[in-house]
Amino acid sequence: MSIFLPKSIRTLIEEFAKLPGIGPKSAQRLAMYLLHSPDSKIKELGESVFNLKQNVVFCENCWNIGESNPCAFCSDEQRDKSVICVVEEVLDVVAIEKTREFSGLYHVLHGALSPVDGIGPDQLKLGSLFKRIEEGDQEVREIIIATNPSLEGEATALYIQKQLLNSSINITRIARGLPVGGDVEYADEVTLSRAISGRSAL
Amino acid sequence: MSIFLPKSIRTLIEEFAKLPGIGPKSAQRLAMYLLHSPDSKIKELGESVFNLKQNVVFCENCWNIGESNPCAFCSDEQRDKSVICVVEEVLDVVAIEKTREFSGLYHVLHGALSPVDGIGPDQLKLGSLFKRIEEGDQEVREIIIATNPSLEGEATALYIQKQLLNSSINITRIARGLPVGGDVEYADEVTLSRAISGRSAL
């Protein structure tokens, strides 16, 4: 941070630079952009930061965020209560909803198992998932594990599978393969071998 | 913007997405990061946005931003008042100060000539530059034009040069050539031809 700028600008640059994916140069540019913006725009941004957590609650059933507890999904009678899609983050719910392919319920873990980062099962919303399945007054028939196809996501999927080994529930995992529009030539080996082993009949 | 997120989060995502260089996906990630941050961090960011323009004034001599008018540079008796370095933006001052190679005064134009965008001489702080030179109780010996080596920056440099043609002031332009660590093989033609024509004796 430069000492050649006024204190208030330096402070904002420092705050911006703390955000993920924003380096010191981008932070400088953002602060300068705001400095040249009308006061009303600055106020709008500041207020929306302050109000971020207003009326935002976690659903204590699926741990998605929403404006009510239980959330809009859990309290929606139209949704298929026999299928639970397990995801790592809230934004994964958004992404899946956009496909309009899924009409069941969700369960947001808020992370994935990562011993290196000190994230074990207790740090995730796993206990409440198993409780939901066990206590379920609604009968859960299928658990779709939609964690990321990363080391951590796969480990989490494996962990859930192991824990539910003795139950009669159908445990499925979202397909891993080539992204649509992708190129066999440029696909990495792991993705390609997954795509081959996960092939389906035409 | 997703309709599957609470209103306050959507609002912040929209606000972030308005900032330059931040797309809708980055905006989502930033909002989610803040949502998982402690309230104190959110407050810090919000306050620094609100306070951005606090104690920030433009120096009416050089149009740099600072905490006083005239700014710290213009009121510093140690700086060489016979050289004025003309730059496009405030951050250019910061960049040049970091080199510790320049001890003169600055003049911030707040842009560059760009007829396409409707930016003519009147939209820039050019008039006050010429006034500074003419009225200068301190005698200005050199004007270093450090506008960007872009079409707009070069046009601005040319304009300033023309306006000061009849004055006895030394007008110089920062060197254009290969960046340090660059590669002759990969340099574009214009840069390379500039580097050749601007060669200096070893």
Side-chain angles (χ1 to χ4, degrees):
Chain A
M1 241 40 62
S2 167
I3 54 157
F4 311 108
L5 290 170
K7 174 113 189 42
S8 64
I9 300 178
R10 262 163 27 220
T11 309
L12 183 60
I13 293 174
E14 279 162 25
E15 286 297 324
F16 275 144
K18 284 180 196 166
L19 299 175
I22 298 188
K25 286 269 172 185
S26 306
Q28 274 191 352
R29 275 186 54 220
L30 288 176
M32 282 300 144
Y33 172 83
L34 284 179
L35 196 69
H36 288 93
S37 301
D39 289 1
S40 61
K41 278 192 96 175
I42 297 174
K43 212 178 138 211
E44 270 171 34
L45 176 62
E47 272 172 1
S48 56
V49 170
F50 270 124
N51 296 339
L52 174 62
K53 289 194 179 174
Q54 211 173 52
N55 299 324
V56 172
V57 288
F58 283 101
C59 170
E60 282 175 24
N61 188 43
C62 72
W63 295 101
N64 189 11
I65 46 165
E67 282 164 324
S68 59
N69 173 22
C71 70
F73 295 117
C74 290
S75 53
D76 185 349
E77 287 300 320
Q78 306 277 20
R79 311 240 0 158
D80 181 358
K81 290 183 169 27
S82 67
V83 192
I84 295 178
C85 180
V86 180
V87 295
E88 291 182 23
E89 301 295 346
V90 172
L91 288 181
D92 300 337
V93 173
V94 174
I96 292 172
E97 277 301 298
K98 278 185 182 163
T99 68
R100 298 166 181 271
E101 283 287 326
F102 181 71
S103 61
L105 299 183
Y106 288 97
H107 193 89
V108 184
L109 298 176
H110 289 276
L113 291 176
S114 176
V116 185
D117 303 314
I119 299 174
D122 294 343
Q123 273 73 50
L124 304 178
K125 302 293 181 192
L126 277 166
S128 58
L129 171 66
F130 300 137
K131 214 171 138 195
R132 257 179 101 177
I133 295 166
E134 277 164 37
E135 291 182 0
D137 24 65
Q138 73 265 17
E139 50 201 45
V140 180
R141 280 186 299 102
E142 183 179 356
I143 302 283
I144 303 176
I145 306 181
T147 53
N148 290 337
S150 63
L151 207 66
E152 293 80 12
E154 298 291 358
T156 311
L158 216 67
Y159 179 87
I160 296 171
Q161 188 196 10
K162 270 192 180 166
Q163 295 292 313
L164 298 175
L165 215 59
N166 296 324
S167 75
S168 59
I169 295 169
N170 222 344
I171 301 169
T172 57
R173 179 89 173 97
I174 51 165
R176 282 139 303 181
L178 266 70
V180 177
D183 202 317
V184 174
E185 184 182 346
Y186 294 117
D188 64 286
E189 293 159 37
V190 186
T191 300
L192 202 52
S193 73
R194 286 287 191 174
I196 293 169
S197 65
R199 67 192 179 279
S200 57
L202 273 178
Chain B
M1 240 42 58
S2 167
I3 54 157
F4 311 108
L5 290 169
K7 175 119 187 38
S8 65
I9 300 178
R10 267 173 11 230
T11 308
L12 184 60
I13 293 175
E14 280 162 24
E15 286 297 324
F16 274 144
K18 284 180 195 166
L19 299 176
I22 298 186
K25 287 268 172 186
S26 307
Q28 274 190 353
R29 276 186 53 221
L30 289 176
M32 282 300 145
Y33 171 84
L34 284 179
L35 196 68
H36 288 93
S37 300
D39 289 0
S40 62
K41 279 191 95 176
I42 296 174
K43 213 179 137 211
E44 270 170 34
L45 176 62
E47 272 172 1
S48 56
V49 170
F50 270 124
N51 296 337
L52 174 61
K53 289 194 179 174
Q54 211 173 53
N55 299 324
V56 172
V57 288
F58 283 100
C59 170
E60 282 175 24
N61 188 42
C62 73
W63 295 100
N64 189 12
I65 47 165
E67 281 164 325
S68 58
N69 172 22
C71 70
F73 295 117
C74 290
S75 54
D76 186 349
E77 286 299 319
Q78 304 277 18
R79 308 223 30 140
D80 182 358
K81 289 183 170 29
S82 67
V83 192
I84 295 178
C85 180
V86 180
V87 296
E88 291 182 22
E89 301 294 347
V90 172
L91 288 180
D92 300 337
V93 173
V94 174
I96 291 172
E97 276 302 296
K98 278 184 181 161
T99 67
R100 296 166 181 271
E101 284 285 327
F102 181 70
S103 61
L105 300 183
Y106 289 97
H107 193 89
V108 184
L109 298 176
H110 289 276
L113 291 177
S114 177
V116 185
D117 304 314
I119 299 176
D122 295 341
Q123 273 74 50
L124 304 177
K125 302 293 180 192
L126 276 166
S128 58
L129 171 65
F130 300 136
K131 214 171 139 193
R132 257 178 101 179
I133 295 166
E134 276 164 39
E135 292 183 0
D137 26 65
Q138 74 265 18
E139 52 202 44
V140 181
R141 280 187 299 104
E142 184 179 357
I143 301 283
I144 303 176
I145 305 180
T147 52
N148 290 337
S150 62
L151 206 65
E152 292 80 11
E154 297 292 359
T156 312
L158 215 67
Y159 180 87
I160 296 171
Q161 189 198 7
K162 270 192 181 169
Q163 295 292 314
L164 299 174
L165 215 60
N166 296 325
S167 75
S168 58
I169 295 169
N170 222 345
I171 301 169
T172 57
R173 180 87 173 97
I174 51 165
R176 284 139 301 181
L178 265 70
V180 177
D183 202 317
V184 173
E185 185 182 347
Y186 294 116
D188 63 286
E189 291 158 42
V190 185
T191 301
L192 202 52
S193 74
R194 286 286 192 175
I196 293 168
S197 65
R199 67 192 179 278
S200 57
L202 273 178

